[in-house]
Amino acid sequence: MAAEFSRPGSLYGAVDLGARKQALEAQARREAAGPSGAASADVIEVTSATFNTEVVERSLSVPVIVEATVSRAEQVRQFSGVMEKLAAEAAGAWVLARVDVEADPQLAQALRMRAVPTVYLAFQGQLMPLFEGPLPESQLRQALAQVFEQLGVELAAQGEDQLAEPPVDPELLAAEQAVEKGDLDAAAAAYERLLARSPSDEGAKIGLAGVGLLRRTQDLDPADVLRRAAENADDVDAQTRAADLEMVNGQVDEAFDRLVALVRRVRGADRDKARVHLLGLFDALPADDPSVSRARRALASALF
């Protein structure tokens, strides 16, 4: 059940941009909790001082999933957002406890961690490791379901007033499976078929833009691209390639800022090329992503 930590720019990290939206939603929930920065009601922040009470003792009455992580890491924050989403859906059937092992190395040592994140289950006073690494949401759901089924734990069913999650569109599923296999042509074709049927489908738009990013960057030498961009500030091709690399590495704001600055510097056809490329990068994120909103304002200022 173990999974390797995806390196920046990997297939999963580049295309699973929906996780970024989930992380942003989780952040918004935390901010809404008040100025003290209190965590979401679905998450318990645990330290070595509170672990016994909040995890071990609590597990006597309800299963506790322990996420040992480094909260400042971008890719791990995306995974944490998915964990929070599943905890909220569980509606109290199990509790999510989070440990920031960078802030509490003593607890990290006690847990005998080998990778970040590592997920554990505390049940009836016993702690057991489940898996290592940031699993995609579908695998994470399956892993947790299998664990609770093996333990004979009945998860609380959703109330009748809660709407069931809509089924996944077959084309979207086909596209995601193709991406996981590295078949970008098949993934693009599936996303395009879905968009032909549902032109406003945001997931398909994001997925297709993500596939485009992978196609443009898969054969690039990052060191060479960034060196050329540093040496040629007004070279549109060099700057757009550098922005693409920054996007797949999770440096979203850096990529947007690079191209907005380029739009300010160049003129004519070069300016329009930079503008169009930036708009294409916007498509790789949800329309309400704060980074997109900020960059759109900056672009408008640069143009007018």
Side-chain angles (χ1 to χ4, degrees):
M1 200 179 292
E4 294 182 0
F5 190 95
S6 303
R7 63 180 175 83
S10 69
L11 203 60
Y12 168 67
V15 187
D16 191 21
L17 293 171
R20 175 178 167 86
K21 184 176 183 180
Q22 292 160 355
L24 290 165
E25 290 171 347
Q27 179 182 347
R29 290 198 301 272
R30 288 193 293 272
E31 291 173 351
S36 63
S40 162
D42 302 314
V43 185
I44 305 166
E45 300 294 343
V46 179
T47 66
S48 54
T50 62
F51 191 87
N52 189 60
T53 301
E54 296 286 15
V55 175
V56 179
E57 293 182 10
R58 187 184 294 267
S59 74
L60 296 173
S61 57
V62 63
V64 180
I65 298 295
V66 180
E67 178 195 354
T69 187
V70 175
S71 59
R72 66 179 177 85
E74 172 67 25
Q75 192 170 20
V76 176
R77 286 202 300 270
Q78 295 175 353
F79 174 77
S80 294
V82 178
M83 290 291 293
E84 291 187 19
K85 173 185 173 183
L86 299 188
E89 289 178 1
W94 56 268
V95 174
L96 175 62
R98 181 170 296 142
V99 178
D100 188 329
V101 296
E102 188 174 49
D104 200 332
Q106 179 181 352
L107 186 51
Q109 185 176 7
L111 291 171
R112 299 180 181 178
M113 292 178 58
R114 299 181 303 175
V116 174
T118 299
V119 175
Y120 304 82
L121 168 69
F123 182 63
Q124 295 182 350
Q126 299 295 314
L127 185 70
M128 62 194 80
L130 294 183
F131 58 83
E132 301 170 347
L135 297 184
E137 181 175 341
S138 59
Q139 293 182 27
L140 179 56
R141 285 182 181 276
Q142 183 179 12
L144 294 179
Q146 289 176 348
V147 167
F148 288 124
E149 181 179 359
Q150 291 170 3
L151 293 175
V153 175
E154 287 287 337
L155 296 182
Q158 289 186 330
E160 295 181 0
D161 58 333
Q162 292 180 296
L163 295 177
E165 188 171 330
V168 177
D169 188 287
E171 294 291 7
L172 187 59
L173 182 60
E176 292 173 350
Q177 291 173 341
V179 167
E180 291 178 359
K181 295 175 183 177
D183 190 345
L184 300 185
D185 290 339
Y191 283 129
E192 288 167 353
R193 288 193 298 271
L194 180 53
L195 284 171
R197 191 176 72 246
S198 304
S200 61
D201 190 296
E202 185 178 54
K205 289 179 181 178
I206 291 173
L208 187 59
V211 169
L213 271 171
L214 288 177
R215 281 174 162 169
R216 296 196 300 270
T217 57
Q218 61 185 351
D219 296 324
L220 295 180
D221 179 342
D224 180 64
V225 168
L226 295 176
R227 178 183 60 79
R228 290 176 182 272
E231 294 174 352
N232 302 277
D234 294 341
D235 185 320
V236 176
D237 290 335
Q239 296 302 323
T240 53
R241 282 194 289 268
D244 283 348
L245 282 175
E246 287 169 334
M247 283 289 291
V248 298
N249 282 316
Q251 298 171 286
V252 173
D253 291 327
E254 290 87 342
F256 290 169
D257 290 345
R258 178 186 293 276
L259 294 187
V260 169
L262 182 62
V263 168
R264 292 184 187 277
R265 291 195 302 270
V266 298
R267 293 292 181 269
D270 282 349
R271 189 186 212 199
D272 194 56
K273 185 175 181 180
R275 178 188 64 83
V276 170
H277 195 91
L278 177 56
L279 294 177
L281 294 187
F282 290 165
D283 288 340
L285 294 174
D288 59 353
D289 188 294
S291 292
V292 173
S293 300
R294 185 184 67 84
R296 285 192 185 278
R297 293 192 297 270
L299 177 60
S301 175
L303 288 171
F304 305 107

